[in-house]
Coordinates of all heavy atoms in Angstrom, one line a residue:
T6 N 116.1 148.1 279.3 CA 115.3 149.2 279.8 C 116.1 150.1 280.7 O 117.3 149.9 280.9 CB 114.1 148.5 280.7 OG1 114.6 148.0 281.8 CG2 113.4 147.4 279.8
S11 N 119.3 142.7 278.9 CA 119.1 141.3 278.8 C 120.5 140.7 278.6 O 121.5 141.3 278.3 CB 118.2 140.9 277.7 OG 118.8 141.1 276.5
N41 N 130.3 143.5 237.8 CA 131.7 143.7 238.4 C 132.1 142.5 239.3 O 131.3 141.8 239.9 CB 131.8 145.0 239.1 CG 130.8 145.1 240.2 OD1 129.6 144.8 240.1 ND2 131.3 145.4 241.4
N50 N 125.0 133.8 241.0 CA 123.7 133.3 240.5 C 123.0 134.4 239.6 O 123.0 135.6 240.0 CB 122.8 133.0 241.7 CG 123.3 131.8 242.5 OD1 124.1 131.0 242.0 ND2 122.7 131.6 243.7
I51 N 122.5 134.0 238.5 CA 121.9 134.9 237.6 C 120.4 134.7 237.6 O 119.9 133.5 237.5 CB 122.4 134.8 236.2 CG1 124.0 135.1 236.2 CG2 121.7 135.8 235.2 CD1 124.8 133.9 236.2
A69 N 133.3 132.0 239.9 CA 133.7 133.4 240.2 C 134.6 134.0 239.2 O 134.7 135.2 239.1 CB 134.5 133.3 241.6
Y139 N 120.3 145.6 205.1 CA 121.2 146.6 204.7 C 122.4 146.1 204.0 O 122.8 144.9 204.1 CB 121.8 147.3 206.0 CG 120.8 147.9 206.9 CD1 120.0 147.2 207.8 CD2 120.6 149.3 206.9 CE1 119.1 147.8 208.7 CE2 119.6 149.9 207.7 CZ 118.9 149.1 208.6 OH 117.9 149.8 209.4
V154 N 111.2 143.5 205.1 CA 110.4 142.3 204.7 C 109.6 141.9 205.9 O 109.8 142.3 207.1 CB 111.2 141.2 204.2 CG1 112.0 141.6 203.0 CG2 112.2 140.7 205.3
Y236 N 123.9 117.0 187.1 CA 124.8 117.7 186.2 C 126.3 117.3 186.6 O 126.6 117.4 187.8 CB 124.6 119.2 186.2 CG 123.4 119.6 185.4 CD1 122.1 119.5 185.9 CD2 123.6 120.1 184.1 CE1 121.0 119.9 185.1 CE2 122.5 120.5 183.3 CZ 121.2 120.4 183.8 OH 120.2 120.7 183.1
S252 N 133.1 116.7 173.6 CA 133.1 115.6 172.6 C 132.8 114.2 173.3 O 132.6 114.2 174.5 CB 134.5 115.5 172.0 OG 135.5 115.4 173.0

Side-chain angles (χ1 to χ4, degrees):
T6 68
S11 71
N41 62 308
N50 291 346
I51 300 99
Y139 298 82
V154 298
Y236 282 80
S252 58

